[in-house]
Amino acid sequence: MKAGFVSLGCAKNLVDTEVMLGILKENGIEITPEPSEADILIVNTCAFIESAKEESITTVLNMADYKKPENGHCKSLIIAGCLGQRYGQDLLDEMPEADAILGTGTFPRIMEAVDETMKGNRVVLTGESDVIYDSRMPRIMTTPSYTAYVKIAEGCDNGCAFCAIPLVRGHYRSRKMEDIVSETQRLAKNGAKEIVLIAQDTTNYGRDLYGEPMLAKLLKDLCKIDGIHFIRVLYSYPKFFTDELIDTIASEPKIVKYVDLPLQHAHDAVLRRMHRADTRETIETLLKKIHERIKDVTIRATFIVGFPGETDAQYQSLRKFVEEQRFAKVGVFTYSREEGTQAADMDGQVPEEIKEERYHDLMSLQSKISEEVNQSIEGKVLDVLVEGRDEEQENIAIGRSYREAPEVDGQVYIEGDTKSQPGDIVRVKIEQGFTYDVVGSLVNED
């Protein structure tokens, strides 16, 4: 039998997909990139916000077309991941096209779902989200060999009023440090040069196992692994961004000087309603420390506009904060009203047109700032991980420096590079900065 996969949403979901692929392969099922060839089609869904749910449903319906004889020969269509965990039996009842629902806490039971559906049974396999993969689980990498995601924890206990993640991912649980090190060693032996550490909240890593945040210690251990060039940390909740962590990032050459902070807002009243642990003062204090102690740091921040009760004055306060801080990268989301969350029942729901207006206004402001920040690095020489070539111009290679995280940020275009191959790390002098991307040329160091 052959199985095809579609993985939606974040990199954390992608890791679950890679483990499911490994389990299928171990059980003799061939993996195919062509849905028309697949006997089994699995959609690993996202349910973070409304637009993600809509994309997931649309994708499932598109895959259902391959059950028609004229399009393919799919016999089993499985909805996995967050959408399945959140809606379970209701989802199966409402989508006759689907044959099985597999939750975030039960994804290692993928073969059970396959076996049951191949017998003609429709099943729901969901339960408490207390599973987290470890280095012993089979895993087929879907990223290029030189870049790998490593999930260091699962779930979240922060209780933000807008967020449905605890409903689908469960309580916070860290992997053991030695298990993460073991997996990273194996990835390095297989050619990984960039390791990207992910979790719903990376800075909280280890508190449940060791009684205190242990991300700094974990990073120091990972830096000892030969072959790794870049170690990147994403989803760093500001509450536990300790002085020790700042100093570790600053002092360890392998850790990229890139800080990803989901700040969400900068007005104290909105932060309180969001049930965030931060205030504008604590955020500004943290940002000041990071800038002072990590040389040439790139900071990426994310914000939500249109949260219930957000007044125009409070939005303007956020806007001024973004203008003052001059982040290199910013992601902006319009508030999505998610059932089961505390914010869904709050008074003062902001009209969609106002959310959109604030979104476009803040993104417009940030695009100018990003371009100016990118222009400010013109003349600097950076290590760039090559990922491919420009499709139209053969003498241009494309890659990322420490300043760009995979998938979410821009790229470095390397002019006059005809020889570099994906996975190579080259020295590049930045010549021009644009809103998202930068252009540079190879530095000849012979």
Side-chain angles (χ1 to χ4, degrees), residues 103 138 176 182 185 210 227 251 256 272 285 288 299 309-310 340 348 366 394 439:
K176 291 182 179 178
S182 175
Q185 288 171 333
Y210 308 108
S251 62
V256 297
R272 281 195 301 272
T285 299
K288 187 170 185 289
I299 299 180
E310 183 190 56
Q366 180 58 36
E394 279 297 311
V439 176

Side-chain angles (χ1 to χ4, degrees), residues 141 143-148 183-195 226-230 385 422-425:
M141 307 302 294
T143 53
S145 61
Y146 49 79
T147 295
E183 180 182 28
T184 305
Q185 288 171 333
R186 186 173 69 244
L187 291 168
K189 287 178 182 176
N190 291 336
K193 296 181 179 179
E194 177 185 43
I195 296 295
D226 292 336
I228 301 297
H229 192 87
F230 292 145
L385 176 62
D424 290 347
I425 295 174

Side-chain angles (χ1 to χ4, degrees), residues 20-82:
M20 284 189 279
L21 287 170
I23 293 170
L24 291 171
K25 186 178 180 182
E26 270 201 347
N27 283 272
I29 294 177
E30 183 181 341
I31 308 302
T32 176
E34 298 296 333
S36 60
E37 297 178 357
D39 304 285
I40 307 146
L41 284 170
I42 302 155
V43 181
N44 200 11
T45 58
C46 178
F48 180 51
I49 55 177
E50 190 60 35
S51 59
K53 288 187 281 189
E54 290 172 359
E55 181 188 20
S56 294
I57 294 296
T58 299
T59 303
V60 171
L61 294 174
N62 289 339
M63 290 300 104
D65 282 343
Y66 293 99
K67 295 179 119 181
K68 299 174 182 175
E70 62 270 27
N71 297 329
H73 50 82
C74 174
K75 302 175 187 66
S76 172
L77 177 57
I78 299 171
I79 300 176
C82 298

Side-chain angles (χ1 to χ4, degrees), residues 243 246 284-294:
D243 287 353
I246 294 173
E284 288 175 338
T285 299
L286 174 61
L287 292 169
K288 187 170 185 289
K289 282 183 187 177
I290 290 171
H291 278 294
E292 288 176 347
R293 289 153 66 175
I294 305 177

Side-chain angles (χ1 to χ4, degrees), residues 171-237:
H171 64 91
Y172 195 89
R173 51 211 186 273
S174 303
R175 290 174 63 190
K176 291 182 179 178
M177 200 173 304
E178 57 269 25
D179 188 60
I180 297 169
V181 171
S182 175
E183 180 182 28
T184 305
Q185 288 171 333
R186 186 173 69 244
L187 291 168
K189 287 178 182 176
N190 291 336
K193 296 181 179 179
E194 177 185 43
I195 296 295
V196 185
L197 302 185
I198 54 174
Q200 269 73 33
D201 175 1
T202 50
T203 47
N204 200 20
Y205 170 74
R207 286 182 70 239
D208 55 320
L209 291 181
Y210 308 108
E212 60 181 319
M214 294 292 280
L215 181 58
K217 172 68 167 61
L218 173 64
L219 285 168
K220 290 173 185 175
D221 287 349
L222 296 179
C223 286
K224 298 173 185 175
I225 298 173
D226 292 336
I228 301 297
H229 192 87
F230 292 145
I231 299 175
R232 188 181 301 275
V233 182
L234 300 183
Y235 312 111
S236 302
Y237 197 89

Side-chain angles (χ1 to χ4, degrees), residues 162 304-308 333-338 341 343-344 349 355:
F162 53 82
I304 296 171
V305 295
F307 187 78
F333 295 88
T334 58
Y335 166 71
S336 178
R337 191 175 188 176
E338 296 300 315
T341 63
Q349 299 289 329
K355 294 181 195 176

